Amino acid sequence: MKALTWQGIDKVGIEQVADPKIINGSDAIIKVTSTAICGSDLHLYGGRVPTLLKGDILGHEFMGEVVETGRNVKNLKVGDKVVVPFNIACGHCYFCEKGMFSACDNSNPNPSIPLMGTGQAVSALFGYTHMCGGYAGGQAEFVRVPYADIGPLKVPSGIDDEQVLFLSDIFPTGYMAAENCEIEPGDTVAVWGAGPVGQFAARSAFMLGAGRVFVIDRFPERLELARQCGAEPINYELEDVYETLQFETGGTGPDSCIDAVGMEGHGHTIDALMDDVKAAFRIQPDRAHALRQAIRCVRKAGIVSVPGVYIGLIDKLNFGMAFNKGIKFKMGQTHTHKYMKPLLDRIMNGEIDPSVVISHRLKLDDAPAGYKMFQEKSHECTKIVMHI
Amino acid sequence: MEKNVATFERIASVLVGGLALQQTLMSNRPTSVKSVTGAAGLAFLWRGVTGSCPIYRSLNINTHKANGISMTPNLLERSALINLPPEEVASFLQTKKTPWGRFSLAIDEYHYKIDIDGRTWMLELSGHSDGNRTLIKLTWNEQDSLVPERVLEIRKLKSLMETGEIASIEGQPHGDRGPIGSFFETFGDKLLHSLQSRTALPDSKKDNETMISHESEMRREAHA
Ligand SMILES: NC(=O)c1ccc[n+]([C@@H]2O[C@H](COP(=O)([O-])OP(=O)(O)OC[C@H]3O[C@@H](n4cnc5c(N)ncnc54)[C@H](O)[C@@H]3O)[C@@H](O)[C@H]2O)c1
Ligand SMILES: [Zn+2]
Ligand SMILES: [Zn+2]
């Protein structure tokens, strides 16, 4: 089959590889019909996450049709149309049973590395390094999905892929980020990053009762997309984010702040420049400017919710500020499985059209150019979908 | 050369060194930069593989000794919290075949044993105070003063009990690995395993291999 593989720093390519096979009884093989490139893929593309090997198949946002099932699979049959969550979870361990799917105990075949990185090994992810399980990803014609009774969500066969594809990651991620803000009716929420995750976070914040939502970025087309859902855009290249947020909230600050930027944060202040230097020499991968700013802006005893991915030891973190204001942090990989069905219902009810974030539709063969474009945010690129 | 680096640090060194080397070989920066990062990568790799660090020696630091066993992942791999009550764990151990063979009752219903290539392993069960989970701890023949390698991977036993299978990516597709990728693919696991073992007992090394082959055998059987 054809698959997109990582070939080195800032380099991906399309290769001919073997078809995936059933390995365990709970596996299913999915023929991928649509897949997307995620902001998280950019961390891999840039070679910033350790234990990715040349030749690894990327992709964790995908959906398709079931073409084969292992002998223990009961909920799926050949021909079903499914969306697959990006985390791999067993469904039976303590964490899965409590709905904390991204903390699954059993899905990572080689937990020794993450064990050292994180103290305890977290769940495996599709197409996301050997530290996260080494599973082949879904930017390919076919993909093997373990624990097929647990993860894949069956969707109506008539529905357009673009309506449901993002249930695999970014819609649940934006939603969980907003849910983590424990929004009370009329609350003010500020979202850093107007990328796909930020867009869904802003929309979800409104769904959960926020009165005002600010969205911060520097790309006009992304800010415009945020404005369309009722959010108030702040272009950080034109305005001072802290001053604007304080002014708009009477010096109180937003009730909660969402960092939907993560480790590729950009900025012009001294902390951001120091991060840039360290990242360039690959001493430290995380550029946490947005996180620091969120901590500074949030109201006293507010919440900072972090869907943006960080992986290393962030320095210059204003933790004293966080302590003295009594901030609550909520973060982590999304417990995607938990949100897929309720969010599918919201899509079916017409509460949201997830396809609004899509700016480009490509063929799998054009994915390498897509990565470059998405990394550079050129051609007003917000989200790329490949139909296979 | 005397070892003076803790296992945890050794693994970290191998990872950091490997990564630096990988990035050096793949990058298109000037040779001056590449020679620095390349040399640093090699040095870290060497430090990790040998467990010996000249800088530590000159400063009289020895994390190898200081950390002792408590820092090695082995200890972590020798206990697990199973998401099943003790009765179910006990009945699993008495009735199910595992990649390592069958366990049998020892002492009382809270102790089970299994013989693997001449070594007796004991599992000790205790109920978690929440009433739903079971803590299992692995012990071995008292007369073996040396700590064996991570031969009976208790984590896999846990997966088997909780989900009926052991997570695997054996034989899945990938693209061309290139020389560096193939190196890490072929030796990465071995390196990790050898670093994780505290002692180099030849017979337990054999146990390790037996265990791995038992596991793939079981997987094959399950599919026949
Ligand atoms: N937690 C999860 O499970 C999960 C899931 C998916 C994605 N993510 C993470 O969410 C983050 C965003 O993903 P995405 O797909 O939207 O990526 P993206 O790259 O499209 O979006 C990031 C946006 O942040 C903006 N930005 C950069 N620096 C900023 C700053 N200082 N202030 C404000 N905005 C800034 C960029 O201009 C860009 O528009 C990534 O870190 C990704 O890894 C996490
Ligand atoms: Zn994603
Ligand atoms: Zn689980």
Side-chain angles (χ1 to χ4, degrees):
Chain A
M1 66 164 181
K2 251 194 276 184
L4 178 122
T5 61
W6 188 69
Q7 320 247 301
I9 297 169
D10 293 343
K11 193 155 177 265
V12 289
I14 301 294
E15 275 185 272
Q16 201 64 38
V17 303
D19 285 349
K21 288 195 203 54
I22 301 270
I23 297 177
N24 272 324
S26 77
D27 297 352
I29 305 290
I30 311 286
K31 179 180 185 300
V32 179
T33 52
S34 297
T35 174
I37 307 177
C38 177
S40 301
D41 290 326
L42 294 180
H43 316 320
L44 301 178
Y45 184 56
R48 303 203 178 272
V49 191
T51 71
L52 187 65
L53 294 183
K54 180 172 187 294
D56 281 343
I57 302 170
L58 304 186
H60 60 266
E61 300 183 355
F62 59 90
M63 61 179 296
E65 194 189 304
V66 178
V67 291
E68 196 186 343
T69 55
R71 67 199 167 94
N72 298 333
V73 177
K74 296 190 181 64
N75 298 345
L76 295 183
K77 54 180 194 318
V78 171
D80 282 345
K81 178 169 175 166
V82 292
V83 181
V84 181
F86 75 98
N87 351 56
I88 303 173
C90 79
H92 299 288
C93 69
Y94 172 79
F95 296 96
C96 285
E97 283 190 351
K98 289 237 181 304
M100 299 179 275
F101 294 94
S102 71
C104 175
D105 261 347
N106 292 315
S107 60
N108 196 327
N110 187 8
S112 329
I113 312 170
L115 197 83
M116 276 170 283
T118 40
Q120 293 86 24
V122 291
S123 88
L125 312 176
F126 285 102
Y128 219 82
T129 75
H130 290 264
M131 154 172 108
C132 296
Y135 289 92
Q139 287 164 4
E141 290 177 313
F142 296 92
V143 61
R144 166 192 165 232
V145 176
Y147 310 113
D149 274 342
I150 308 298
L153 173 74
K154 262 192 267 187
V155 293
S157 56
I159 198 163
D160 187 8
D161 279 15
E162 291 185 0
Q163 285 297 313
V164 290
L165 173 61
F166 301 140
L167 289 171
S168 61
D169 179 351
I170 51 173
F171 186 13
T173 295
Y175 189 87
M176 185 169 112
E179 194 182 70
N180 278 343
C181 290
E182 299 171 11
I183 295 170
E184 293 191 3
D187 267 5
T188 299
V189 179
V191 181
W192 273 255
V197 171
Q199 299 290 343
F200 282 110
R203 284 162 174 78
S204 303
F206 279 127
M207 279 178 193
L208 293 169
R212 290 179 86 180
V213 176
F214 292 91
V215 174
I216 302 138
D217 206 306
R218 74 177 189 282
F219 294 105
E221 67 280 4
R222 292 183 170 215
L223 289 170
E224 171 55 26
L225 197 57
R227 205 189 49 75
Q228 284 167 15
C229 78
E232 299 167 54
I234 300 177
N235 186 331
Y236 68 83
E237 304 236 273
L238 307 176
E239 298 174 67
D240 183 289
V241 176
Y242 170 76
E243 303 238 312
T244 305
L245 285 174
Q246 301 308 300
F247 178 70
E248 289 295 331
T249 56
T252 305
D255 298 293
S256 46
C257 290
I258 297 176
D259 170 3
V261 176
M263 59 188 279
E264 316 267 344
H266 159 271
H268 301 297
T269 49
I270 183 78
D271 64 302
L273 296 179
M274 283 166 74
D275 286 346
D276 285 347
V277 172
K278 288 191 182 173
F281 283 96
R282 297 184 181 266
I283 298 168
Q284 181 199 281
D286 301 303
R287 288 173 276 170
H289 180 63
L291 178 60
R292 296 187 194 102
Q293 203 170 49
I295 292 173
R296 179 155 180 249
C297 293
V298 73
R299 74 151 157 82
K300 288 172 282 184
I303 294 176
V304 173
S305 158
V306 190
V309 168
Y310 291 97
I311 62 162
L313 309 166
I314 299 175
D315 54 19
K316 306 177 292 302
L317 189 70
N318 37 353
F319 204 77
M321 205 183 259
F323 176 85
N324 285 295
K325 295 210 294 191
I327 290 172
K328 184 153 138 193
F329 286 105
K330 292 265 208 140
M331 64 191 88
Q333 298 285 4
T334 308
H335 304 306
T336 319
H337 300 57
K338 188 169 121 187
Y339 298 96
M340 292 175 82
K341 181 69 180 70
L343 294 182
L344 173 66
D345 292 343
R346 287 191 190 257
I347 296 171
M348 302 303 283
N349 294 341
E351 283 175 60
I352 184 167
D353 172 8
S355 68
V356 293
V357 300
I358 304 173
S359 60
H360 290 77
R361 294 164 176 86
L362 303 178
K363 293 255 156 262
L364 186 60
D365 286 317
D366 301 324
Y371 267 82
K372 188 161 188 298
M373 179 167 69
F374 188 44
Q375 186 190 43
E376 292 167 352
K377 313 277 185 259
S378 58
H379 301 85
E380 307 203 341
C381 177
T382 45
K383 185 78 181 177
I384 298 173
V385 170
M386 277 96 70
H387 295 296
I388 297 173
Chain B
M1 222 172 336
E2 198 212 339
K3 288 199 172 78
N4 58 5
V5 185
T7 312
F8 177 85
E9 277 186 77
R10 289 178 62 188
I11 300 173
S13 292
V14 169
L15 290 178
V16 169
L19 193 72
L21 216 56
Q22 180 194 21
Q23 306 232 342
T24 306
L25 293 171
M26 284 178 175
S27 92
N28 39 21
R29 288 176 198 287
T31 324
S32 54
V33 176
K34 283 213 273 190
S35 56
V36 174
T37 53
L42 279 176
F44 268 103
L45 210 55
W46 171 256
R47 180 179 187 267
V49 172
T50 59
S52 158
C53 172
I55 300 177
Y56 270 13
R57 188 157 305 115
S58 65
L59 295 171
N60 222 355
I61 297 175
N62 188 333
T63 52
H64 177 67
K65 242 191 221 140
N67 286 313
I69 186 161
S70 65
M71 279 297 284
T72 65
N74 320 14
L75 197 61
L76 296 175
E77 295 231 330
R78 292 206 306 269
S79 89
L81 195 52
I82 316 277
N83 194 26
L84 293 169
E87 314 82 71
E88 286 184 40
V89 172
S91 109
F92 179 99
L93 290 172
Q94 281 168 303
T95 57
K96 295 277 191 336
K97 194 176 170 219
T98 72
W100 312 278
R102 242 180 250 282
F103 286 81
S104 59
L105 201 62
I107 316 173
D108 57 24
E109 75 263 40
Y110 290 102
H111 293 84
Y112 295 84
K113 68 175 176 22
I114 191 167
D115 290 322
I116 300 164
D117 292 348
R119 191 193 294 274
T120 301
W121 300 83
M122 185 85 85
L123 277 186
E124 190 188 291
L125 277 50
S126 53
H128 187 278
S129 42
D130 69 9
N132 302 321
R133 291 182 284 170
T134 308
L135 179 68
I136 57 174
K137 285 183 173 166
L138 184 67
T139 54
W140 53 92
N141 298 353
E142 287 296 322
Q143 59 267 40
D144 281 335
S145 56
L146 290 173
V147 181
E149 298 195 25
R150 28 164 258 153
V151 277
L152 203 159
E153 288 166 294
I154 210 161
R155 177 184 58 78
K156 293 187 175 170
L157 187 63
K158 167 183 155 81
S159 288
L160 205 57
M161 287 189 209
E162 291 182 351
T163 70
E165 63 186 44
I166 297 170
S168 168
I169 55 168
E170 207 177 272
Q172 71 168 8
H174 58 75
D176 178 22
R177 291 268 187 237
I180 315 159
S182 335
F183 173 82
F184 274 98
E185 193 178 40
T186 322
F187 297 106
D189 265 6
K190 286 207 172 102
L191 210 61
L192 217 62
H193 280 229
S194 78
L195 286 173
Q196 282 180 344
S197 49
R198 221 173 83 85
T199 55
L201 278 180
D203 61 329
S204 48
K205 225 181 224 132
K206 189 165 132 248
D207 283 352
N208 250 337
E209 271 153 31
T210 325
M211 223 67 67
I212 292 165
S213 70
H214 279 328
E215 194 189 317
S216 11
E217 222 167 79
M218 193 190 72
R219 198 164 279 127
R220 269 195 301 280
E221 263 172 36
H223 286 274

